[in-house]
Amino acid sequence: MKQDIFNNSSQYSIEFWESAYTYAIEKVRDNISNFSDGYPAPSSNNNVYPKIANIEWTSSFWNGMLWLSYLHTRDEVFRHAGEATLEDYATRLQKRIETNTHDLGFLYILSAKAEYLVTHNESAKITALLAADLLMERYHPKAGIIQAWGDLEDPNQRGRIIIDCLMNIPLLFWATEETKNPRYQEAALRHLARTRETIIRPDATTYHTYYFDTETGNPLRGVTAQGYSDDSCWARGQAWGIYGLTLAYTYTLDPACLVDAKRLAEYFLSHLPSDDVCYWDLIFTDGDEERDSSACAIASCGLMLLASLLPEDDIDAVRYQNKALDMLASLSKSYTTQDNPESNGILMHAVYGKPNNAGVDECVVWGDYFYMEALGTVLGSATRFW
Ligand code: GLY
């Protein structure tokens, strides 16, 4: 129903979106032979992704792009490329290769779980459920949180959550749906509650990361890792929040998730520059700082889903849908690699981590993925893997 409102009020033609998506899908196709024995690095060098082994939190964005391409084209070349990686993901889990991270959610939702949703392969489902088991090892029951990074005993990381985890807990909600074992969902619900009570500030901005005392469960302090300062609002974190809270609603049906998603969305939208593509931290609204096109792509996905879930009489729904399209159109017109044939990426002008000078004004692989997810959503071919 909402989709009709969305299409009728859109100032962009289907051809415009088809052309944007075809460009992205053909870039994925061009990359298949190069990445048949590896994965794009998290960020590019001069807009070219180096090839690396399956060791990063970002490998699965490549898989996600393959599955989205398959769903849109039904060309078996994409399906085969996706299926060929499953064993690699199973081995990574089994040997615990760089698995000291909550990003097991990103990693296994877009690889094994996506494969299961598209092909119904039972081995893929089992692999995704094993990833959920491993993610549960990072749960600190006293604090009710899933530790984001590093060894559970590392004093610098112990008890630390980050807003990005809202995109990882869908793996746990799904694991309970599949197995009927409530323990995954219980952990996800507690982590969600603790994130909402600490990471979201009263003015609807967000901390990037937050520490808890794992012995007492008490909240300690918010600090940034990739934002401008501890009390600024890192743009990608806000985008993860908009989408992650909205996804949480799809599992919990708790209207408070939508209320918070809207609060974060309002702050995000009121801090966009004139071309609708945010700076890397929302403390900047004009000037020479870099943009983060990936935050814009993530927020577009979040806003479209949010708009589709709001009650019929919510006047913000159409506004969110239209703004998501404006943001996406701006990316399509001015941020792609279309005029840069040397690039193996899709979206330029993202920032991975400005404070540590990582991937600044480069392509980032999740930016490419969420840009495609948003286009696939507009065109109706994408499945929601989350
Ligand atoms: N999840 C890590 C990042 O957004 O950079």
Side-chain angles (χ1 to χ4, degrees):
M1 180 112 41
K2 280 280 161 49
Q3 208 64 16
D4 293 342
I5 302 169
F6 167 73
N7 288 333
N8 292 341
S9 66
S10 172
Q11 57 169 306
Y12 308 102
S13 66
I14 293 286
E15 291 73 26
F16 173 79
W17 299 119
E18 279 288 358
S19 157
Y21 207 19
T22 299
Y23 175 74
I25 289 172
E26 290 311 309
K27 188 62 86 170
V28 175
R29 186 194 302 280
D30 290 346
N31 282 336
I32 285 179
S33 60
N34 183 32
F35 294 121
S36 62
D37 59 350
Y39 300 82
S43 56
S44 62
N45 298 330
N46 295 321
N47 296 307
V48 176
Y49 292 110
K51 179 166 53 181
I52 61 169
N54 192 355
I55 54 169
E56 272 286 355
W57 70 276
T58 50
S59 314
S60 60
F61 293 111
W62 169 240
N63 294 70
M65 287 189 274
L66 290 168
W67 289 118
L68 289 173
S69 300
Y70 174 67
L71 287 171
H72 198 71
T73 62
R74 296 289 162 179
D75 186 331
E76 295 289 322
V77 75
F78 297 112
R79 175 184 170 135
H80 291 148
E83 286 173 336
T85 65
L86 183 61
E87 204 177 306
D88 192 33
Y89 282 91
T91 304
R92 182 167 175 179
L93 273 186
Q94 200 182 15
K95 297 192 173 163
R96 298 193 174 217
I97 300 165
E98 302 293 335
T99 52
N100 260 347
T101 170
H102 67 156
D103 290 325
L104 292 163
F106 280 114
L107 279 167
Y108 287 84
I109 286 170
L110 293 182
S111 60
K113 183 187 169 199
E115 179 170 341
Y116 172 63
L117 293 180
V118 177
T119 70
H120 311 294
N121 175 357
E122 282 295 312
S123 306
K125 175 173 138 181
I126 289 165
T127 303
L129 290 174
L130 287 172
D133 284 335
L134 197 51
L135 183 53
M136 284 297 290
E137 291 184 16
R138 305 189 66 73
Y139 182 61
H140 290 286
K142 185 75 186 178
I145 55 120
I146 294 155
Q147 183 175 320
W149 295 321
D151 193 281
L152 297 179
E153 301 308 323
D154 177 347
N156 287 324
Q157 300 299 348
R158 188 169 169 83
R160 186 185 209 182
I161 65 169
I162 74 174
I163 190 164
D164 321 29
C165 194
L166 293 175
M167 299 299 292
N168 290 322
I169 58 174
L171 184 67
L172 300 180
F173 285 123
W174 171 78
T176 286
E177 281 183 0
E178 288 296 327
T179 63
K180 311 295 174 223
N181 183 335
R183 76 186 186 103
Y184 308 99
Q185 175 171 297
E186 280 161 16
L189 285 172
R190 288 201 66 207
H191 182 92
L192 172 66
R194 299 240 75 185
T195 302
R196 289 182 49 225
E197 87 197 29
T198 55
I199 277 207
I200 304 177
R201 304 184 186 110
D203 65 354
T205 63
T206 48
Y207 288 111
H208 179 197
T209 91
Y210 206 97
Y211 282 97
F212 289 79
D213 184 322
T214 53
E215 309 309 318
T216 63
N218 290 337
L220 297 174
R221 64 191 183 284
V223 291
T224 199
Q226 285 156 269
Y228 176 77
S229 64
D230 289 346
D231 54 4
S232 72
C233 186
W234 180 47
R236 195 158 64 251
Q238 195 80 357
W240 291 137
I242 295 167
Y243 199 10
L245 288 161
T246 308
L247 287 168
Y249 175 79
T250 66
Y251 288 99
T252 63
L253 300 182
D254 179 353
C257 294
L258 292 187
V259 171
D260 278 347
K262 285 184 72 172
R263 292 176 58 226
L264 268 58
E266 292 298 337
Y267 189 89
F268 187 92
L269 294 177
S270 65
H271 286 73
L272 291 179
S274 57
D275 77 348
D276 289 323
V277 177
C278 57
Y279 287 85
W280 65 276
D281 192 295
L282 299 181
I283 201 167
F284 306 112
T285 50
D286 61 16
D288 293 333
E289 288 289 329
E290 292 81 9
R291 306 302 180 92
D292 182 4
S293 58
S294 75
C296 182
I298 297 159
S300 297
C301 292
L303 288 170
M304 283 194 280
L305 182 62
L306 178 58
S308 74
L309 295 172
L310 289 174
E312 289 290 325
D313 59 352
D314 191 316
I315 55 165
D316 294 323
V318 173
R319 185 164 60 88
Y320 291 158
Q321 284 161 342
N322 288 339
K323 202 65 191 172
L325 293 187
D326 288 342
M327 289 158 56
L328 196 54
S330 185
L331 292 176
S332 301
K333 288 176 190 163
S334 311
Y335 286 76
T336 73
T337 53
Q338 198 107 33
D339 296 325
N340 186 349
E342 301 303 310
S343 176
N344 59 1
I346 298 169
L347 263 194
M348 300 196 293
H349 307 306
V351 172
Y352 185 6
K354 179 87 191 252
N356 58 344
N357 199 26
V360 176
D361 197 21
E362 290 286 351
C363 304
V364 295
V365 68
W366 59 89
D368 292 353
Y369 168 79
F370 284 101
Y371 175 64
M372 290 188 67
E373 186 188 299
L375 290 171
T377 303
V378 171
L379 290 167
S381 66
T383 291
R384 192 173 346 112
F385 300 132
W386 306 100

